[in-house]
Amino acid sequence: MFSAFRKPTLSMSMKAIQQNHRSTIYSKPPKEKVGPLQSVFVLCVFAVTLLGPAGWIMHHIPDYQQRAPPRT
């Protein structure tokens, strides 16, 4: 009962934040093998997805610099 009225300390708050569980990961071999063509395709999709918008902006920087500033 008196512990409810105590000022929380750092160790008490750390215990509340930490989770005491042990997760065990069980895995099995893949059902289908991933081939090199599929790997290359996925890497290309990631590259286009990540680098495409940056390339678009870099390509259009001169257009952005020539544009008149917005009127307020």
Side-chain angles (χ1 to χ4, degrees):
M1 171 118 183
F2 291 108
S3 65
F5 298 114
R6 287 179 40 193
K7 181 179 175 187
T9 61
L10 181 61
S11 64
M12 291 172 64
S13 62
M14 288 302 288
K15 286 181 183 178
I17 293 173
Q18 291 177 346
Q19 296 178 359
N20 291 332
H21 64 75
R22 295 181 183 209
S23 59
T24 349
I25 300 175
Y26 297 102
S27 69
K28 298 178 182 177
K31 293 181 181 178
E32 300 175 7
K33 293 204 176 231
V34 178
L37 187 61
Q38 290 174 330
S39 299
V40 168
F41 174 74
V42 170
L43 288 174
C44 289
V45 168
F46 275 122
V48 168
T49 303
L50 295 174
L51 299 176
W56 177 270
I57 292 171
M58 296 282 289
H59 179 73
H60 288 92
I61 283 179
D63 298 337
Y64 300 144
Q65 289 175 346
Q66 294 172 358
R67 188 178 298 172
R71 297 181 189 178
T72 55

